[in-house]
């Protein structure tokens, strides 16, 4: 499973365009949340933030693993879902991800709904190159409590790439999640397998 950290730069993101569907209803995958591998010279180094394409790709997991809907024009009026899921979908919206188009492109095949017993939600989808870096087989998108998912996590994204991985440092992420939680922040792991 992959993890992503991002830093807000304080700039207001442009609102995403309307759903990129053609007359036949097909979705233009390039406008959804494309996987764009960084050039070798621009790969993320330790201590740097990943680029917006990596963040969009990781937020795609949060969208696919959610039933929440934003209100009119991304606002609160008419939104549906719990506040944690809505915040992920809203972050993706503000990053320019077409959440409706993404869900149309990669519909849920099966799901494990959230439960307070196991503290995560998972959805299964047919893999799409534009989102997952491959179009072969099925992919599981999951989000949930770090302390429940880290023991199940083998690899993490590296160098700002969704497809390049390295072994996860479980103790590091557990310590980071605990530190952020101690400041009142809600911390989730987002990943795919």
């Amino acid at each position: 499973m992959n993890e992503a950290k991002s830093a807000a730069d304080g700039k207001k993101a442009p609102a995403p365009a309307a759903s990129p569907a053609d007359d036949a209803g097909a979705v233009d995958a390039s406008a959804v949340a494309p996987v764009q591998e960084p050039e070798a010279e621009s790969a993320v180094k330790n201590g740097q933030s990943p680029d917006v394409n990596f963040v969009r790709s990781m937020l795609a997991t949060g969208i696919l693993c959610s039933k929440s809907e934003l209100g009119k024009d991304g606002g609160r009026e008419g939104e549906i879902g719990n506040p944690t899921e809505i915040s992920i979908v809203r972050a993706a919206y503000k990053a320019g991800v077409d959440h409706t188009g993404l869900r149309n492109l990669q519909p849920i095949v099966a799901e494990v709904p959230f439960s307070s017993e196991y503290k995560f939600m998972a959805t299964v989808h047919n893999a799409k190159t534009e989102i997952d870096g491959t179009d072969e087989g099925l992919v599981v998108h999951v989000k949930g409590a770090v302390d429940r998912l880290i023991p199940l996590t083998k690899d993490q994204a590296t160098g700002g790439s969704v497809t390049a991985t390295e072994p996860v440092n479980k103790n590091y992420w557990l310590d980071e999640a605990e530190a952020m939680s101690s400041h009142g922040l809600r911390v989730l792991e987002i990943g795919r397998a």
Side-chain angles (χ1 to χ4, degrees):
M1 290 185 208
N2 302 327
E3 295 185 78
K5 283 176 47 175
S6 66
D9 62 3
K11 296 179 184 173
K12 185 175 180 181
S19 182
D22 63 18
D23 292 335
V27 175
D28 174 9
S30 66
V32 178
V35 171
Q36 296 179 353
E37 296 304 316
E39 300 295 325
E41 62 273 4
S42 68
V44 177
K45 311 287 188 290
N46 284 340
Q48 292 181 334
S49 294
D51 72 8
V52 70
N53 290 318
F54 177 81
V55 175
R56 284 180 182 147
S57 180
M58 293 311 302
L59 287 170
T61 288
I63 291 170
L64 292 171
C65 194
S66 167
K67 303 272 179 129
S68 293
E69 292 291 337
L70 295 179
K72 182 181 176 185
D73 297 325
R76 294 179 182 256
E77 181 183 337
E79 66 187 19
I80 301 169
N82 76 51
T84 301
E85 284 193 348
I86 288 172
S87 67
I88 294 169
V89 176
R90 184 165 286 118
Y93 174 85
K94 288 185 176 192
V97 177
D98 174 11
H99 62 286
T100 303
L102 177 61
R103 288 178 178 154
N104 291 336
L105 176 70
Q106 206 167 4
I108 295 172
V109 173
E111 99 177 56
V112 177
F114 179 82
S115 164
S116 57
E117 181 181 339
Y118 44 80
K119 296 185 179 178
F120 69 84
M121 177 182 183
T123 55
V124 179
H125 307 262
N126 289 307
K128 296 287 184 191
T129 302
E130 301 86 1
I131 308 305
D132 305 305
T134 182
D135 64 355
E136 296 180 18
L138 299 173
V139 63
V140 177
H141 291 267
V142 63
K143 69 174 177 355
V146 176
D147 64 317
R148 297 297 180 96
L149 292 177
I150 279 290
L152 306 173
T153 304
K154 178 182 171 193
D155 297 313
Q156 65 186 19
T158 185
S161 168
V162 174
T163 57
T165 62
E166 64 186 7
V168 68
N169 181 337
K170 295 178 182 190
N171 290 331
Y172 171 81
W173 289 113
L174 289 169
D175 290 347
E176 288 292 307
E178 184 177 327
M180 288 187 275
S181 293
S182 73
H183 293 286
L185 298 173
R186 179 72 181 249
V187 183
L188 296 176
E189 179 175 345
I190 293 178
R192 64 184 79 167

